[in-house]
Amino acid sequence: MSTFDETTGQVAPIAAVHQRGRGYDGHWALVWQKFLRHRLGVAGGIVVILAYIVALIPEFLAPVTLEAYNPSYSYAPPQAIQWGRDDGEGWRFLPHVTAYKTEIDYNSGRRLFVPDPETVIPIGFFVQGEPYRLLGLIPTDRHLFGAVEAGQPFFLAGADRLGRDILSRTIYGTRISMTIGLIGVALSLVFGILIGGISGLFGGVVDNLIQRFIEFIQSVPAIPLWIGLAAAIPQSVPPLQVYFLITIILSVLGWTSLARVVRGRFLAMRSEDFVKAARLDGCGPVRIIFRHMLPSFLSHIIATVSLAIPGMILAETALSYLGIGLRTPIVSWGVLLQEAQNVRTIASAPWLLLPGGAVVIAVLALNFLGDGLRDAADPYSD
Amino acid sequence: MGSFMLRRIIYVIPALIAVSLISFLVIAIPPGDFVTRTAELRAAQGDIMPIAEQDAMRRAYGLDLPIMVQYWNWITGVLTRGDFGYSFSFNLPVKDVIWPRLGLTVVLSVASLLFIWVVAIPIGIYSAVRRYSAGDYLATFLGFLGLAIPNFLLALAVMYVAFAWFGMNVGGLFSPEYLEAPWSWDRVLDLLNHLWLPMIVLGTAGTASVIRVIRANLMDELHKPYVTAARAKGKGEFGLLMKYPVRHALNPFVSGQNDIFVEIVSGGTIVAIVMGLQTTGPLLLDALRTQDMYMAASFILMLSVLVVIGTLLSDLLLAWLDPRIRYQQG
């Protein structure tokens, strides 16, 4: 394999290309080295890994459980953490938040929460709280942080209509929101590789038909169709099944871009020398695809997949926000945003938009990661 | 050009047939119909609807026929008489409801598209020419943010800012006094007064992607020999930029307009629901919830037709702009 240099018009010998690595690095080592040079991509990757860690152990990271509620703290505003306290004998270190006093605003007739500096709620790391099973296995009651005395009001990001902690619920929502993208994309990938592979492998009429079909699907406005399909799920279907139905609905229209990438790679690679060599060596088509072709375009598939996940997350959030996607007790960021239905509610409790911030960060990080991976997927070009 | 146009227009026909089938089947195949939904609603109010009455209602609406017969009746009505069927929940022919809404949808979509062009093309050119300048980084950052914020969240945030900081209630496309008024200059001005906000909300994602496309393509063109040649002949820098590399860089931009228009029409549905616009979105959602079959199918059909026509126009534009395409395919 040799590369053509456009500026000098020279064909660079193989050795020169490989000097970019250490000369003896394999494909994946080169991909990894190129990815590390894309700093935004690396940063995005770290955020994505953190998000999936949160998705794995929300019970430990969240101060309270999903079900914890207290109607007397309805729409309580976020508390500020204070690091110490002056108790007459001088300042001493005591991380805490303060409790609320309620006041009635006689102009609007609304109940207002004001911080009550007299009542101190000490907070700390690894506090005892509601018992749960870590990873579904290890029984424990420790939470990463929270009020030292369980049950006291601790709302770092405010509370919703029923007095539930927004921060804890957003942490729990990570699990569903981050996995629905993964499962949706995995389904799309199956469709995409199958159909794109058939299209690229057979070529001719089959390829033409499949390409027209893909163009057609891409030209249908997705959101009205998604709304149509999602609204067709009866109310009586249990929430877990709704979750799977929604992933199927998302991937019904989502597989096309993956199919195009796979087909393009198949077409480009069909005439490569190493594929020809494998065929001359007497390899069957299955062995050629999985042993010789797939490894060399796997990096492209990974990049396309990571760019497809954010679209799924955005679609799920939008559907759930409209009330036709996921339903409680399953909690995703979109389900949480349902609380922010109208402007007046948001104006009086802007912290309800916190799950939206989580969506933006997740999508941004996945986009950066995908960009970095896409650049790294082809480590031989510059 | 003529034969290319003809081919391209003929290709629209199977696309339209498929679109009409999909929009109808999405609504008709899932279990339950308007009658069962009505019966559920009545039952919730403690009023049980007898099976006989349900069947009579089904017969009256033609819901007892096989699905393909229903589809045939509906689509022939649409094609021959412009009759989109009957809206059960409005008790009106669908066509009376759909046209004004569709008109506003077109206005909003086209306005958003123009907004994207006006904003994104200059910024994209600037970003490419002043690569790695502060302005380029700012544009790239805002571009990424624009892609990452879901439309409906942006709509919520904009409405919140307008309400909390400026005391404005920015939902809808008209002030209350013009809502039902007949068309007049004042009503058009009122519409323009309300249109810019949803237009910006809907345009952000598209703007972000157009900036990226133009920046990437223009950067490839800027260092080609023909640019150096023109510069060596003494052509002014700005005229040179506009005359050669920008025109080259616009081709991929034009071919990307399909996807952007699909995104606008598609995303417009949700923005309209959140901001309470008098376009197709909110009614489509209501129709789907109440299983108002013909209404929902007609909305999805017409939105798809809008997209198919938009795609056709942009393909023709591209063929006119770039001769290689019409020679290759025509």
Side-chain angles (χ1 to χ4, degrees), chain A residues 212 215-216 219 221-225 227-228 231-232 314 317-318 321-322 337 340 343-344 346-347 350 356 363-364 368 371, chain B residues 11 15 18-19 22 26 30 144 148 150 152-153 156 159-160 163 169 212 266-267 269-270 273-274 284-285 288-289 303-304 307:
Chain A
R212 293 293 87 74
E215 273 170 26
F216 167 69
S219 73
I223 292 177
L225 260 191
I227 295 179
L314 288 179
T317 310
Y321 175 75
L322 293 180
L337 281 171
V343 187
R344 277 161 211 287
I346 302 172
V363 170
L364 214 51
F368 286 147
D371 260 16
Chain B
Y11 171 63
V19 152
I22 289 185
V26 162
F144 267 118
F152 78 93
L153 206 61
L156 278 178
M159 285 165 75
Y160 164 63
F163 181 80
N169 210 345
R212 286 177 78 179
S266 183
T269 318
I270 288 184
I273 293 169
V274 174
L284 173 62
L285 186 62
L288 286 166
R289 282 205 178 122
L303 284 178
S304 311
V307 164

Side-chain angles (χ1 to χ4, degrees), chain B residues 50-68:
Chain B
I51 300 291
E53 194 185 330
Q54 290 187 26
D55 285 344
M57 198 166 157
R58 255 189 209 108
R59 259 195 306 283
Y61 287 139
L63 293 175
D64 53 339
L65 300 168
I67 284 179
M68 289 320 284

